[in-house]
Amino acid sequence: MRERSLQRWAFETPGIPDSLFVRDEEVPMTKEEVRAMVISKLRLREGQDVLDVGCGTGSVTVEMALVTGYAVGIDENEKAIELTKTNADNFKVNIKLIQGHAPDVMRDLDKFDRIFIGGGSDMLESILEESMMHLKEGGRIVLDAIQLETATRAISIMSTKMDVEVTQITISKGMRTKTGTAMLARNPVFIISGELK
Ligand SMILES: C[S@@+](CC[C@H](N)C(=O)[O-])C[C@H]1O[C@@H](n2cnc3c(N)ncnc32)[C@H](O)[C@@H]1O
């Protein structure tokens, strides 16, 4: 059943259910509703060069590569690299993985059309500066943040060189109770998108 689902999603558009990714409790994953917004804000097209900084479980890396045909993922955690490889293999997408600390490992890379920053908030300033230097003309950066401080830091850095859009989403998921469906609210998430001026 799971194998059939993987095959189906591997050949269709993004919007993959979380349950189809192999996970590990030590490695966080961007949940599918947030991922859908991130993928939308990246404005992906086939053939673009794309980078996922802090690829974690690889859910965003996989969905990026499904559209573009190829994605590069970076993570400092060995377990995250293993998981991303497993998930990319399961969805039969073409990716390259780099284990290391951002922004250090970004310095030797070529330029990208799209960069998603899903990790590294302690190094946010330098990761964003390096990302803006690694963007092709018309390139976009998207990042997600839980904390207000991360969002405001990102907005002020990105605004120096980019047109910035700020989106905040709050997802609630329905839970069946004896009498109906109760909505359970999740944390608000900020999605900051920037395009080079
Ligand atoms: C929230 S998770 C990303 C989830 C991912 N988008 C997904 O869908 O599975 C953040 C990841 O960033 C990685 N990370 C944090 N700081 C980093 C840094 N400076 N360099 C590389 N990876 C980093 C962590 O190891 C973690 O796997």
Side-chain angles (χ1 to χ4, degrees), residues 41-42 115-117 124-125 127-132 135 139-145 150-166 190-197:
K41 297 295 180 188
L42 281 165
I115 299 177
F116 172 60
I117 303 170
L124 187 68
E125 281 77 5
I127 290 176
L128 272 172
E129 293 293 352
E130 200 64 36
S131 297
M132 291 192 290
L135 265 192
R140 287 176 72 80
I141 293 174
V142 175
L143 73 84
D144 64 355
T150 310
T152 54
R153 275 156 65 211
I155 293 164
S156 67
I157 299 163
M158 290 166 77
S159 299
T160 58
K161 292 182 185 145
M162 313 185 95
D163 292 317
V164 175
E165 180 196 26
V166 182
F190 298 95
I191 296 171
I192 320 294
S193 320
E195 189 159 322
L196 280 181
K197 286 178 186 166

Side-chain angles (χ1 to χ4, degrees), residues 169-185:
I169 53 173
T170 308
I171 306 294
S172 300
K173 296 284 283 188
M175 185 193 71
R176 287 297 296 167
T177 68
K178 279 184 193 154
T179 53
T181 305
M183 299 308 294
L184 298 188

Side-chain angles (χ1 to χ4, degrees), residues 27-30 54-60 74-77 80 100-102 116 118-120 122-123 127:
V27 181
M29 182 172 84
T30 305
C55 55
T57 303
S59 73
V60 176
I74 291 174
D75 207 293
E76 61 189 3
N77 178 346
H101 189 68
F116 172 60
D122 52 334
M123 301 295 293
I127 290 176

Side-chain angles (χ1 to χ4, degrees), residues 84-97:
T84 300
K85 182 173 180 339
T86 300
N87 283 313
D89 289 347
N90 285 346
F91 284 97
K92 298 183 173 44
V93 292
N94 192 10
I95 62 165
K96 174 181 160 185
L97 291 170

